[in-house]
Amino acid sequence: MNFRSRFWGLFAGTSLFLSTLTACFSGSGDLATATPPDSSLGDPANPVVASNFSRDVLLFNGTGVSTSDWQATEQMISGQGWSYALVNSAELNAMSLEEIASYRVIVIPGGKGGTITASLTEATRLKVRQAVRDRGVGYVGFCAGAWVAVGPEASGDQVASYGLAVAPGAILPSYYPGGDTSQTAAIVPVTLSSGETRQLVWWGGPSTPEWAGGVIGRYVTGEPAISQTWSGAGLVVISGPHPEAPQSWRSTAGFDSDGLDQDLAVAMIHAAMNRQPYTGPLH
């Protein structure tokens, strides 16, 4: 199988171009009272079955994914010293369930959810779900990666009508800052479960599900912005906005008073990879 493996020693100076970004399109409550999913090592009700993890991150950079977004995400992953591989649509389509399940977490950056869906075979979309649900592979999705993560087919083996359906729920609704449906990019405040508010890049992303005890960030409207849930043996963590966004995006999205938020993205990946629900940014 001819996919490129990249490891933590990769040169970190990859240039990122805002012009390659494509918007993340699909085709309320009180954080202080939320009870997070069980934070013990893995979900005791869903033990990992027959997994043989050999590397950390499988980063998808296939058709429909923004070039600058996967590059920013790769640079961030490399900086953590995690072992990883880049895989495009054809390469993921060629992978077996066993090969997919050899990674601790699958990461899908932003882009266009419908295009991502169309680039993958039905068999591949099902294998990704099985790797998460049955083998304990974590899943992290940013924007379009969140769009394609959620679907009503998650508990079964029916091919999803849209996306991967690695986590349960209806297809996600759009979120528009200030209710302005003409907006495509903005800096939006998101309040985390810790009480901290971050200014995050939003680029056409959704509201995430109101999973019980699993909302870890909310927009100013109270709608979920970042959510996590167990899907069988795997932990799924998804974000409507872009904590992984590089600094260059902010010149278009708007004024960002607190700068890079990649520590949030790192914490999301760390949580899913280690089957330990997110409890806050890594410092």
Side-chain angles (χ1 to χ4, degrees):
M1 178 179 54
N2 296 319
F3 60 86
R4 293 174 289 163
S5 296
R6 305 267 181 104
F7 295 93
W8 63 272
L10 182 72
F11 174 64
T14 306
S15 60
L16 306 174
F17 296 99
L18 184 63
S19 61
T20 61
L21 180 66
T22 53
C24 299
F25 298 116
S26 66
S28 51
D30 184 358
L31 280 170
T33 62
T35 302
D38 191 303
S39 59
S40 60
L41 181 59
D43 180 4
N46 295 291
V48 176
V49 177
S51 293
N52 184 24
F53 301 132
S54 60
R55 274 186 282 186
D56 294 326
V57 183
L58 185 64
L59 174 58
F60 181 68
N61 70 339
T63 305
V65 170
S66 160
T67 299
S68 58
D69 202 4
W70 72 253
Q71 289 177 339
T73 305
E74 180 187 23
Q75 196 170 35
M76 182 183 67
I77 289 169
S78 173
Q80 293 300 308
W82 291 327
S83 60
Y84 70 97
L86 284 171
V87 60
N88 62 30
S89 299
E91 292 161 348
L92 185 57
N93 284 332
M95 292 178 73
S96 68
L97 175 58
E98 296 299 326
E99 289 169 324
I100 297 171
S102 69
Y103 292 85
R104 295 182 184 277
V105 63
I106 298 165
V107 178
I108 299 188
K112 294 184 177 179
T115 305
I116 292 170
T117 300
S119 76
L120 300 175
T121 67
E122 291 186 353
T124 296
R125 290 158 60 199
L126 183 56
K127 281 184 287 189
V128 171
R129 186 192 312 163
Q130 291 169 332
V132 173
R133 186 190 64 202
D134 303 335
R135 302 299 185 90
V137 177
Y139 178 97
V140 173
F142 302 115
C143 200
W147 281 111
V148 300
V150 182
E153 302 89 353
S155 62
D157 289 332
Q158 177 185 355
V159 175
S161 59
Y162 170 83
L164 306 168
V166 296
I171 293 174
L172 301 179
S174 297
Y175 174 79
Y176 293 103
D180 182 359
T181 59
S182 67
Q183 284 201 79
T184 57
I187 301 294
V188 298
V190 172
T191 300
L192 304 176
S193 52
S194 63
E196 179 185 12
T197 296
R198 291 291 191 93
Q199 304 293 319
L200 301 182
V201 173
W202 171 88
W203 213 294
S207 296
T208 53
E210 190 75 46
W211 286 319
V215 177
I216 51 182
R218 293 187 185 274
Y219 297 112
V220 293
T221 58
E223 295 171 76
I226 306 172
S227 301
Q228 65 183 346
T229 191
W230 289 106
S231 179
L235 184 64
V236 175
V237 191
I238 57 174
S239 177
H242 288 274
E244 84 290 0
Q247 187 62 41
S248 60
W249 290 15
R250 287 155 173 79
S251 61
T252 294
F255 175 70
D256 182 358
S257 61
D258 60 11
L260 287 174
D261 299 289
Q262 292 184 341
D263 60 318
L264 298 181
V266 167
M268 290 172 62
I269 297 172
H270 182 272
M273 181 167 60
N274 292 289
R275 304 181 74 244
Q276 294 177 318
Y278 172 101
T279 56
L282 299 180
H283 297 291

